[in-house]
Amino acid sequence: MKKRLSVIISASMAAALFSSVAAVAASTKSSLDFSDLNQLDAGTKAKFDAMISEGIFDGVSDKVFGLHDKMNRAQFAKAAALIFGLKVDASLSVSSFSDVSTSDPANGYALPYIEALKAANLTDGYGENTYNPAGEVTKEQLAAFLIRGLNKEAEVRSNSGGNDSTVSSWAKGYAALAVQLNLLGNQSDGRFGGISPATRELLVTSSYEAKRQYVPGRTVQKELPVDELKTYSLTDHAQAQIKSVFQEKTPEGWRVGAVIKLNNTSGSTIRIPDYELRIKTADGTVYTLQASASNSRSILPQGNVTLSYMTDIGIKTDVGLTNLQWVDVNQDVYPKRETLLADAAVDSIVWRGKDAEIKDPALIGDWGVRFAIPGETSALKYSAVNMSKQFTGQTPTYIVEVQAENQGSYAETIPDFVLSGKAGSQSFIGKRVEETPISINAGEHKSIHFAITTDTDALLDAFYVLSTESFLKQGQTAPIQYYTGRIGFRLPVNDGVTTGPVGNSYIFGTPMVFKPMNNFINPNLNVSLEELHVTNNGETGNKTGLAKFMLVNKSDKPIPVPAFGAELAGKEGKTYAGSRQTVSAQEIAPGTGIVVSYGFNLPSTEQNEQYQLNVQELLSNSAYKSTIASYKVSIQNDNDHNSISFYPFKLNLKSWTLSQLTTIGATGFSYTYKLNLDMDIERDAEVVLDTNFSKMKFELVDSLGRSLGSSSFPFTGTNRLVSGTQQLSFSNLTQDQTRNNVSIKVYETVSTPAGDVDRFITELK
């Protein structure tokens, strides 16, 4: 028996998603009419009012909405039919399901709605010939329905969903994406609660948000159409196909190019036929294209070659290209004789360089849509699975991860293509991060990354998939490079602020789940976040963040320490890159772990109590990063001196006294402070301390807040801190006399290549 509601969205029904419901008159009621909605906050009331006024929802009685009532499958059917604007035949009295009947006093009303869902292929029932109208709808089933209704199922493939035990294995991606899209939220314990029954409140609020995010007129599209190249016979054995036609404005006029694939259908090598390739314009003018100096001269048996052609047109007015013609020119007779070998209409495939715009909606897919590279004979399919934004100063760079899948029966090499970012009339050509060729075996998946740098104020609409072409002029050594394209896809939801295995609230100390096919973090290495603190740094006028990661080797062999990146993102989308602690250890021994800290500089105006923590792969041979895991993490409260979290230590400053010493030397008086400190230290024995592990810094501060001096003490090596009583000296003073009312500020200090990061812990007075 099935354990979940099966929801299948057809392309025809997706166009009707969340359209106005003509069959249901708009309600004149509001949340004020229902006693159990009075306690809702203003924002939630507005959502209920919108859905009630549109006639999509009503109460279980005149005065009660049934806010916390569990939703059964009959209620779900009615709500779904209204939300999707399905055609409901109220005259139906017989159901196609054996357990649905108008004689059912509790659920008989739902018969026409259930049939509407079945007719639209939105459900195939619960079991054989049954619908189970009284059965409960779980939260994860609701998540799947809404994600599919929003045509976001492709994004589920890139979302592993983490290790939430409250979600069924089939629903993990749906649940994580539903949280990411703000359709549904996690419970107070940070888990989704997927198998718990959904309430009417959840149905209303999630439906409201889905309705808000839906783009009318967008149809379900799992794969962009394959570009079928038309074949033109030039000779008995030479057949031509047009891969691309290019037109771009230049200071002198126009540059026009064409790339042709020429196939040899014979069993022997043939030479490239002698022909002229000409381009015809809308006014009837014909121009001859020149062959690239790098073009092949022959074609192997049953083989093919790619040929490049180009010319410059000295006309500054607009030129419309209409036809590409192959012409055989016989120069041996007078007058010369010309024979038209083939004539191809090309007006629909001309790529106008940076001014090109894909206007056919069928050629622009949603984020995650599967596509092939136009003009390539290949079994490779691609889909965008992850995006992040990085900054160099104020200049943003989009890092897009594209997953390639070999659906063929032999290994292939990923062809040379790039992505460009489209922002209105502007185009920003990206580059592939991986510089070496990447081969993919049959049935294998691999990822490639693209970096697209844009202007500061550019708002991208889509990414275009571009093929890289080149033309070498006769007598030149450097080819002209240009790009052509035909297809593209839109950006992910929220501009990629949350992508990958994202959305779950993190539980400190639990192993992180990284995106599928991640090769950066060894699968035998558990990575967990043990601490995240954000404290004010009054001395520098900013805030300091400190994140501590625990890396544990679960294998029987040493594992290299991965140099991953970490960044914090606030609610407003601002991101703060972490500076990695200087680490001397190169490997982690079997059965042991090490701690790696990251320091963050945040503005003093940053008031967030929760951040999105992105763990990032440092891409090879570049400064670019790709997010491999992302979680919502709440900052931990500051410690007092009785219980200081200093992972892998727990500290208790039991008592302290500060004394002042004055000595007379040959040059005069000198002053020294001594701190007598009684402290308990507990340590996690599994952790091996790196020689560059954090130190504890004590700073002397006078009554006016001025620093008199400081000293730092390690937990390893000489002068290390230990349990019990110890005496710590301060001799590097900035004042030439002793002070009264001196207090001690306690910090954790971490050395990074960007300088020391100080986390304020407590003040001893």
Side-chain angles (χ1 to χ4, degrees):
M1 180 177 288
K2 297 180 182 178
K3 298 297 184 182
R4 66 182 181 92
L5 178 67
S6 176
V7 182
I8 306 171
I9 308 298
S10 68
S12 62
M13 294 318 305
L17 180 63
F18 299 127
S19 62
S20 59
V21 184
V24 181
S27 173
T28 58
K29 291 185 177 181
S30 72
S31 58
L32 297 175
D33 295 295
F34 302 103
S35 59
D36 54 344
L37 301 184
N38 291 337
Q39 302 304 314
L40 296 176
D41 61 80
T44 305
K45 278 186 179 180
K47 297 178 181 179
F48 274 76
D49 286 337
M51 302 303 278
I52 293 171
S53 66
E54 293 183 28
I56 296 177
F57 292 99
D58 199 353
V60 295
S61 69
D62 287 342
K63 297 297 183 181
V64 178
F65 187 85
L67 188 66
H68 302 299
D69 289 1
K70 295 177 182 178
M71 176 180 56
N72 65 30
R73 290 169 58 83
Q75 294 170 345
F76 179 81
K78 180 179 179 180
L82 298 181
I83 290 171
F84 281 80
L86 303 183
K87 183 178 179 180
V88 178
D89 186 355
S91 66
L92 287 177
S93 59
V94 178
S95 173
S96 56
F97 296 109
S98 61
D99 59 347
V100 177
S101 171
T102 55
S103 62
D104 180 352
N107 302 304
Y109 72 92
L111 186 150
Y113 301 104
I114 294 171
E115 292 304 310
L117 262 64
K118 182 180 180 183
N121 289 323
L122 299 185
T123 181
D124 56 5
Y126 185 79
E128 186 175 356
N129 197 34
T130 62
Y131 180 77
N132 188 23
E136 294 176 347
V137 177
T138 64
K139 189 178 176 184
E140 63 190 24
Q141 290 170 355
L142 179 59
F145 178 82
L146 295 173
I147 293 299
R148 288 165 172 163
L150 283 173
N151 305 335
K152 299 294 183 183
E153 196 161 14
E155 295 183 35
V156 174
R157 295 198 304 269
S158 65
N159 203 324
S160 67
N163 57 356
D164 191 339
S165 61
T166 68
V167 181
S168 303
S169 58
W170 69 267
K172 289 185 183 295
Y174 292 104
L177 189 57
V179 173
Q180 177 184 328
L181 298 179
N182 201 33
L183 300 174
L184 296 164
N186 286 323
Q187 302 173 143
S188 59
D189 63 359
R191 300 187 295 178
F192 186 73
I195 58 178
S196 61
T199 63
R200 284 169 55 81
E201 179 181 15
L202 275 182
L203 180 60
V204 173
T205 55
S206 61
S207 298
Y208 173 87
E209 184 61 30
K211 185 175 185 293
R212 188 186 67 82
Q213 293 184 22
Y214 179 67
V215 179
R218 191 176 291 180
T219 58
V220 175
Q221 189 177 31
K222 293 186 177 180
E223 186 167 337
L224 291 175
V226 177
D227 189 12
E228 297 291 344
L229 301 183
K230 187 176 179 180
T231 299
Y232 301 89
S233 294
L234 305 184
T235 68
D236 290 341
H237 302 297
Q239 295 183 335
Q241 295 174 313
I242 304 172
K243 183 182 177 185
S244 61
V245 177
F246 172 78
Q247 178 184 2
E248 187 171 45
K249 199 79 177 67
T250 66
E252 294 76 26
W254 297 93
R255 174 165 289 164
V256 175
V259 177
I260 306 299
K261 294 183 69 174
L262 210 58
N263 302 287
N264 177 7
T265 61
S266 74
S268 58
T269 300
I270 63 171
R271 60 189 293 272
I272 302 298
D274 289 327
Y275 58 76
E276 286 187 3
L277 187 63
R278 300 175 181 176
I279 194 78
K280 185 177 180 181
T281 65
D283 63 2
T285 306
V286 177
Y287 299 90
T288 300
L289 303 176
Q290 303 300 313
S292 172
S294 61
N295 281 357
S296 299
R297 298 292 186 264
S298 60
I299 317 176
L300 295 175
Q302 302 297 319
N304 64 80
V305 295
T306 300
L307 308 174
S308 180
Y309 299 83
M310 184 174 285
T311 193
D312 291 316
I313 300 176
I315 298 177
K316 295 191 176 182
T317 57
D318 195 18
V319 172
L321 307 180
T322 61
N323 294 77
L324 199 62
Q325 300 174 334
W326 290 265
V327 180
D328 177 36
V329 181
N330 187 350
Q331 300 281 3
D332 295 333
V333 298
Y334 182 83
K336 65 181 180 181
R337 183 182 303 131
E338 296 185 354
T339 304
L340 182 64
L341 302 177
D343 189 345
V346 297
D347 55 311
S348 63
I349 64 171
V350 176
W351 187 256
R352 295 176 71 92
K354 292 185 177 181
D355 295 329
E357 182 179 354
I358 301 175
K359 296 183 178 180
D360 185 350
L363 299 179
I364 291 286
D366 284 325
W367 177 265
V369 69
R370 191 178 293 109
F371 62 89
I373 305 302
E376 296 287 344
T377 303
S378 171
L380 298 181
K381 298 288 186 178
Y382 308 86
S383 59
V385 296
N386 191 29
M387 188 188 87
S388 60
K389 189 189 293 185
Q390 300 170 203
F391 287 85
T392 303
Q394 296 297 316
T395 304
T397 297
Y398 292 81
I399 307 300
V400 180
E401 179 186 359
V402 173
Q403 187 180 107
E405 176 186 1
N406 188 347
Q407 298 182 348
S409 55
Y410 56 89
E412 288 197 48
T413 299
I414 295 177
D416 189 14
F417 73 94
V418 299
L419 298 182
S420 75
K422 190 68 174 177
S425 61
Q426 294 179 294
S427 292
F428 303 93
I429 306 296
K431 65 177 181 179
R432 198 161 98 182
V433 175
E434 290 82 7
E435 298 177 351
T436 57
I438 297 178
S439 179
I440 306 182
N441 295 322
E444 191 177 19
H445 296 74
K446 284 189 178 179
S447 290
I448 51 177
H449 300 83
F450 299 89
I452 303 100
T453 301
T454 69
D455 292 341
T456 302
D457 57 351
L459 297 176
L460 293 186
D461 307 313
F463 293 110
Y464 286 176
V465 180
L466 305 183
S467 296
T468 305
E469 311 290 3
S470 64
F471 175 85
L472 182 62
K473 285 187 176 182
Q474 298 291 335
Q476 301 293 319
T477 57
I480 298 170
Q481 188 177 68
Y482 63 96
Y483 304 92
T484 63
R486 296 184 193 175
I487 59 173
F489 52 87
R490 301 175 185 87
L491 273 67
V493 173
N494 298 331
D495 198 22
V497 172
T498 52
T499 54
V502 185
N504 291 330
S505 295
Y506 183 73
I507 300 174
F508 285 95
T510 59
M512 291 184 165
V513 177
F514 297 97
K515 71 180 184 183
M517 299 192 310
N518 153 61
N519 295 318
F520 192 73
I521 302 296
N522 190 303
N524 291 312
L525 190 67
N526 280 356
V527 179
S528 60
L529 180 67
E530 300 296 331
E531 292 182 5
L532 176 63
H533 301 278
V534 176
T535 58
N536 284 307
N537 191 334
E539 184 176 330
T540 59
N542 66 347
K543 288 188 174 182
T544 297
L546 187 65
K548 280 190 175 182
F549 292 87
M550 173 70 164
L551 284 63
V552 179
N553 181 356
K554 295 297 184 180
S555 73
D556 58 357
K557 295 180 176 61
I559 295 178
V561 179
F564 56 81
E567 72 173 12
L568 295 177
K571 294 179 181 177
E572 298 79 15
K574 297 178 182 177
T575 58
Y576 309 98
S579 181
R580 184 174 182 261
Q581 154 193 357
T582 302
V583 179
S584 60
Q586 300 297 310
E587 292 183 333
I588 306 173
T592 65
I594 67 167
V595 174
V596 180
S597 299
Y598 289 76
F600 303 85
N601 287 320
L602 297 85
S604 58
T605 55
E606 184 65 66
Q607 300 298 322
N608 289 319
E609 294 295 324
Q610 187 181 69
Y611 291 87
Q612 179 183 308
L613 174 68
N614 297 322
V615 180
Q616 300 168 318
E617 171 187 358
L618 305 182
L619 301 177
S620 59
N621 302 321
S622 78
Y624 300 122
K625 305 170 186 176
S626 176
T627 299
I628 54 178
S630 186
Y631 290 92
K632 294 176 182 176
V633 182
S634 297
I635 61 175
Q636 295 168 316
N637 293 328
D638 294 336
N639 304 118
D640 61 29
H641 62 271
N642 296 121
S643 179
I644 299 175
S645 179
F646 204 104
Y647 191 82
F649 298 98
K650 286 286 187 181
L651 309 181
N652 177 12
L653 307 185
K654 298 166 63 178
S655 64
W656 61 90
T657 58
L658 184 66
S659 58
Q660 305 170 358
L661 301 177
T662 303
T663 58
I664 301 175
T667 59
F669 292 97
S670 63
Y671 305 93
T672 301
Y673 288 85
K674 289 187 179 296
L675 174 65
N676 290 288
L677 179 65
D678 186 10
M679 177 172 60
D680 284 340
I681 301 178
E682 296 180 11
R683 174 180 171 180
D684 186 339
E686 186 181 34
V687 181
V688 177
L689 293 186
D690 187 82
T691 56
N692 291 310
F693 181 73
S694 308
K695 296 179 180 179
M696 203 166 183
K697 185 171 86 170
F698 299 88
E699 180 185 30
L700 301 179
V701 181
D702 68 13
S703 59
L704 298 177
R706 295 175 297 191
S707 177
L708 304 179
S710 65
S711 291
S712 297
F713 302 91
F715 286 84
T716 60
T718 307
N719 296 324
R720 68 182 180 273
L721 296 170
V722 295
S723 282
T725 302
Q726 51 225 297
Q727 190 175 79
L728 311 177
S729 298
F730 301 83
S731 56
N732 56 337
L733 303 180
T734 60
Q735 302 290 328
D736 58 1
Q737 60 184 358
T738 60
R739 300 284 177 178
N740 294 322
N741 299 321
V742 174
S743 62
I744 304 169
K745 288 187 176 181
V746 184
Y747 297 88
E748 177 180 4
T749 182
V750 177
S751 296
T752 75
D756 288 348
V757 175
D758 291 336
R759 162 206 162 199
F760 175 73
I761 296 175
T762 189
E763 186 171 8
L764 308 178
K765 296 183 179 181

